[in-house]
Amino acid sequence: MTHVPPPFDPELAAALELIKDMISPGLTLDEIAEVRQGPGIRMLAELDLTMGGTFEVEDRRVPGPEGAPDISLLICRPAAPETPGPRPVIYHVHGGGMVIGNNRVGVDVPLAWAQALDAIVVSVEYRLAPEHPHPAPVEDVYAGLLWTADHAAELGADPERIVVAGASAGGGLCAALALLTRDRKGPQPIGQVLMCPMLDDRNDSPSTYQMAGLGVWDRTANETGWTALLGSRRGGPDVPAYAAPARAEDLTGLPPAFLDVGSAETFRDEVVAYASRIWQAGGVAELHVWPGGFHGFDGFAPQAALSQAARAAHLTWLRRLLGV
Amino acid sequence: MKELAGRLTALDPDAGAAVRVIAYFDRLAESRAGLEALVRGAAVLAGCPARLVDPERRVHVRVETDGTRRDTGTPPDPAWPAVRLGPDGTGMLWLERGGDGAGPAGSVSGPAGVAPGGGGDAEHGGPAVTVLDSRPAPAAAPGQVPVQPIPSVVDAVILERAAGAVRLVLDRTRGRAPAHDPALVETLLDATAPEPARLHAARRLGLDPTAPARALAPLNGRPRVIPDAPEAGSGNRLPPSASLQETEGTDRAPANVSADRPELPGPPLTAGRLGVGSAVPVLELPRSWAEARTALRFTAEGTPWDPGPRAVYADELGGVSLLADLVLPGSEPPPDVRALETAAASAPWLPVTLHAITYTSSLRAAAAEINVHHSTLQERLAHAEHLLGWPIRTPQGRLRLHLALTMRRLARP
């Protein structure tokens, strides 16, 4: 099999030139602490969460999973709602390879949707691996969803119209969340937005080999993230689907999914496979493979033509889903 | 792992940022990115809209800082940092920074570009905009005419690298010298050439295949084709025929046409006689070319011996154009033309005087046109009638005179 990678989109290749000193494709366990403190994450958290006054912003501590510490929810509600009555909720789960990030990271994306859709954003803070291996992250994410659904009235939210959304590890956690709520008969999201989601701990698809050493998240980094989450179980026979949704045998009964991924990234094949398996299980999914996109390209280079197309696709899918 | 690349460059303006700018455009050029991607790169890295305009090649691309393409017809501000694409071309790349009294755009952010807790770009809903350098432009001293501010180091590097990459793309995709290739014009004017070949030639020449164009037939020089429809907001219009109706009393030569219309492709037209075909769809340019050649025969040198318009529009000739088929170049001139030649030989003032009375609406205006007293004109006309042998102060006589003057040009070898 050829390991020649697909070329990056020209604009995205140029964007990589800008960030290559800041972000390298590989990440090892002993670099995690440094990256957590690094300028990349710091800058991501430096965001006007009110979006110029559109949102009222609140940090809320709510109960975590049973026997675990409280978790923190970032709640952004329209300051001057366009419509009366309960509003849809974007329940956002941040990325960061399961090992870095906070609930500010990447929240500008759902905030932009919420601005267009007159919706509420709830972004959950979850405990990170390796200090907190599976199931701590996904259980925190589940606890936040439970609280949000239970307190919908208080938030002015419609508990029947919660969309879970996340990129990278956040996308993987959203896919896991959809499986968990199905199996536990918990609050049922009406849709799942899985942007370049991290789904498969086996790290052995052709795209993981093709993109080794390239982009911003290669198979070394991927192994680091999954090993932090799963320890020696990573890649073995007994990894639960709630940790790595690609391991799920049953993909029936899931909410409609939007999945997208770049053609030039580690996760390409696992995302395409996951979408195919949803269809094979009789489910509803929309899949976009953006040619020449690297991992998380629309966040790193939002101005690029391909990023604009991807972001437009997110929003049009949400409009169709929510009927707004 | 989602981050915002642009902001990372904000950490170090000047030297470090310049290095990144160079790497950015080198990479775009390497992967053969298109014009919009290059202009977008300039806009994103500079943190202000960027605009590329090359009228000769009919290129107009404007991209805002959020990466969206938004072209506009508003004229560029002379205060914007800009770079010319080539020494003799019309192409320019601008960074729409400052000017218009709005103050330098960079002043919205501190010199370091991003400070913790701030620096996000509220306008576009995300911290996606890079401000590489935000030093304000130098202010003009009181009483001085403000000069174009010297661009910051980073702006200068952005302009230089972006323009370099743009040049490569234009040369690759639009041809190095779009309107100078005589073979393309020849194809375009050749009714027997296949339509796809003619459409291809039109595009290579920078013509919009859906817009009307005119063929030009200069007496000395190769055939030319010019677009007829003005570009929205560019203010470049084909000049009205009146400005081309040269008479011996004016010093405007058709050469001035090109100065009026910077979009005119190719080298400037030299002074001299010019036939202009009617505006037609590009596939009908062979007809416009035939008309232009006919119109050329109605032109005059604009000299005392051969007064009259140096440029003639075919679509203004009307039925007069039928004369072109009756009086062939170099043929035996009709008797009225022979009479004119004989008269002119004995009275050098005669051609200009007779032209003036056929091209003005009154004898008074004709006298003013050729700078003689009204009574002098009357004396000349009486003398001319005697030499010609027919009256020229009656409507019928003036028509006969007008036809004779016209046929005189048509009969030229």
Side-chain angles (χ1 to χ4, degrees):
Chain A
M1 180 190 310
T2 174
H3 287 172
V4 176
F8 292 121
D9 170 85
E11 280 187 279
L12 299 180
L16 277 177
E17 287 291 333
L18 294 182
I19 57 175
K20 66 179 181 188
D21 298 337
M22 291 291 196
I23 298 159
S24 56
L27 173 73
T28 56
L29 280 170
D30 45 346
E31 287 166 350
I32 289 173
E34 191 190 332
V35 173
R36 283 180 185 169
Q37 302 304 319
I41 293 298
R42 224 173 39 237
M43 274 193 288
L44 286 175
E46 293 159 9
L47 185 68
D48 171 22
L49 294 170
T50 74
M51 303 282 275
T54 304
F55 296 102
E56 284 169 1
V57 179
E58 171 189 13
D59 261 309
R60 190 84 171 244
R61 293 204 74 77
V62 306
E66 194 154 346
D70 286 352
I71 55 171
S72 173
L73 297 180
L74 174 72
I75 301 169
C76 305
R77 281 181 287 177
E82 287 166 26
T83 51
R87 256 165 286 289
V89 177
I90 312 292
Y91 184 76
H92 175 249
V93 185
H94 73 82
M98 305 288 179
V99 294
I100 53 181
N102 58 48
N103 61 9
R104 264 71 173 163
V105 170
V107 79
D108 54 310
V109 170
L111 283 176
W113 301 339
Q115 205 165 21
L117 301 168
D118 196 28
I120 298 166
V121 172
V122 176
S123 186
V124 60
E125 185 89 8
Y126 55 87
R127 288 168 290 167
L128 297 174
E131 295 88 338
H132 305 282
H134 179 77
V138 72
E139 290 294 354
D140 283 357
V141 169
Y142 185 77
L145 181 68
L146 277 185
W147 186 91
T148 302
D150 287 348
H151 294 77
E154 184 191 329
L155 299 177
D158 181 352
E160 304 299 319
R161 294 207 295 166
I162 299 176
V163 181
V164 300
S168 192
L173 288 166
C174 284
L177 189 57
L179 296 168
L180 259 185
T181 57
R182 175 195 66 182
D183 299 344
R184 289 180 183 169
K185 313 270 186 274
Q188 299 296 312
I190 66 161
Q192 45 180 333
V193 181
L194 314 179
M195 298 172 284
C196 53
M198 177 176 174
L199 298 167
D200 195 340
D201 63 294
R202 289 164 294 197
N203 200 20
D204 61 356
S205 72
S207 54
T208 64
Y209 289 99
Q210 261 185 321
M211 302 311 298
L214 297 171
V216 299
W217 185 259
D218 78 347
R219 55 180 287 105
T220 302
N222 205 29
E223 180 170 328
T224 300
W226 284 113
T227 303
L229 187 72
L230 295 167
S232 59
R233 284 194 293 170
R234 186 200 72 79
D238 57 347
V239 170
Y242 304 141
R247 300 293 198 121
E249 310 229 320
D250 176 13
L251 293 183
T252 60
L254 295 174
F258 176 101
L259 303 98
D260 71 353
V261 71
S263 72
E265 81 137 296
T266 303
F267 294 161
R268 179 194 65 218
D269 294 334
E270 64 198 66
V271 174
V272 172
Y274 198 74
S276 294
R277 292 187 53 221
I278 292 175
W279 295 317
Q280 287 155 13
V284 176
E286 174 168 321
L287 170 69
H288 293 260
V289 181
W290 302 106
F294 61 82
H295 183 60
F297 65 92
D298 63 308
F300 286 99
Q303 302 92 345
L306 202 69
S307 305
Q308 293 186 44
R311 295 198 156 183
H314 299 152
L315 193 57
T316 52
W317 185 84
L318 285 166
R319 284 194 196 281
R320 276 183 277 126
L321 179 79
L322 295 170
V324 293
Chain B
M1 288 300 296
K2 300 192 101 195
E3 310 208 10
L4 302 154
R7 300 185 70 208
L8 297 177
T9 58
L11 290 177
D12 63 307
D14 293 332
V19 169
R20 287 200 173 90
V21 166
I22 292 167
Y24 187 88
F25 285 107
D26 282 356
R27 196 65 206 261
L28 280 182
E30 238 171 69
S31 43
R32 298 166 81 88
L35 291 180
E36 187 178 310
L38 294 169
V39 179
R40 181 180 294 112
V44 170
L45 294 179
C48 64
R51 186 191 295 202
L52 169 71
V53 179
D54 187 348
E56 232 175 39
R57 284 150 151 154
R58 321 208 98 210
V59 169
H60 190 123
V61 179
R62 182 178 176 276
V63 179
E64 306 209 330
T65 47
D66 64 356
T68 51
R69 169 88 176 254
R70 205 160 292 141
D71 295 349
T72 162
T74 59
D77 187 321
W80 292 338
V83 63
R84 193 167 283 283
L85 291 180
D88 29 62
T90 52
M92 291 280 281
L93 177 69
W94 286 272
L95 297 178
E96 298 184 9
R97 189 191 296 294
D100 258 345
S107 63
V108 297
S109 172
V114 174
D121 178 52
E123 191 186 340
H124 299 298
V129 171
T130 308
V131 178
L132 282 171
D133 190 321
S134 51
R135 288 170 304 174
Q144 267 188 336
V145 178
V147 294
Q148 178 165 335
I150 299 159
S152 70
V153 171
V154 175
D155 279 357
V157 174
I158 290 170
L159 285 170
E160 194 263 321
R161 302 309 285 203
V166 163
R167 258 179 236 124
L168 291 177
V169 174
L170 285 176
D171 288 349
R172 189 172 73 226
T173 61
R174 318 260 169 152
R176 192 170 284 276
H180 297 193
D181 187 344
L184 291 175
V185 177
E186 204 170 294
T187 303
L188 195 55
L189 299 181
D190 180 0
T192 65
E195 289 196 357
R198 285 192 270 149
L199 286 172
H200 177 73
R203 280 190 210 95
R204 290 283 310 278
L205 288 165
L207 285 174
D208 177 353
T210 64
R214 294 177 189 267
L216 306 184
L219 179 66
N220 309 305
R222 297 177 180 283
R224 300 283 288 272
V225 175
I226 58 167
D228 185 62
E231 281 202 30
S234 70
N236 300 327
R237 297 197 314 109
L238 202 67
S241 171
S243 71
L244 294 173
Q245 300 285 8
E246 307 297 340
T247 61
E248 63 285 353
T250 72
D251 58 1
R252 276 172 56 89
N256 294 348
V257 173
S258 59
D260 288 347
R261 293 182 299 116
E263 73 180 334
L264 191 74
L269 287 163
T270 52
R273 290 158 51 200
L274 178 71
V276 183
S278 53
V280 294
V282 289
L283 284 177
E284 291 173 34
L285 277 167
R287 173 165 66 79
S288 182
W289 168 236
E291 293 173 354
R293 279 180 301 166
T294 300
L296 176 63
R297 294 179 52 210
F298 287 89
T299 61
E301 293 288 353
T303 58
W305 180 251
D306 185 14
R310 270 178 278 188
V312 168
Y313 277 66
D315 42 15
E316 293 178 359
L317 284 173
V320 176
S321 67
L322 298 173
L323 283 177
D325 293 333
L326 301 175
V327 182
L328 301 175
S331 62
E332 176 69 14
D336 283 0
V337 175
R338 288 205 301 276
L340 264 180
E341 299 288 6
T342 309
S346 68
W349 47 263
L350 188 123
V352 165
T353 305
L354 297 186
H355 173 69
I357 64 164
T358 59
Y359 266 78
T360 53
S361 52
S362 67
L363 293 184
R364 199 161 295 282
E369 179 75 26
I370 57 173
N371 263 327
V372 297
H373 193 266
H374 185 59
S375 59
T376 307
L377 179 64
Q378 290 290 0
E379 284 164 23
R380 284 187 179 185
L381 295 183
H383 187 49
E385 285 174 337
H386 172 71
L387 290 172
L388 293 170
W390 77 83
I392 55 176
R393 283 173 282 186
T394 62
Q396 295 82 353
R398 284 225 308 187
L399 175 62
R400 185 173 169 184
L401 173 64
H402 204 154
L403 288 173
L405 287 166
T406 303
M407 289 188 293
R408 181 174 178 242
R409 291 174 202 136
L410 293 173
R412 273 184 306 226

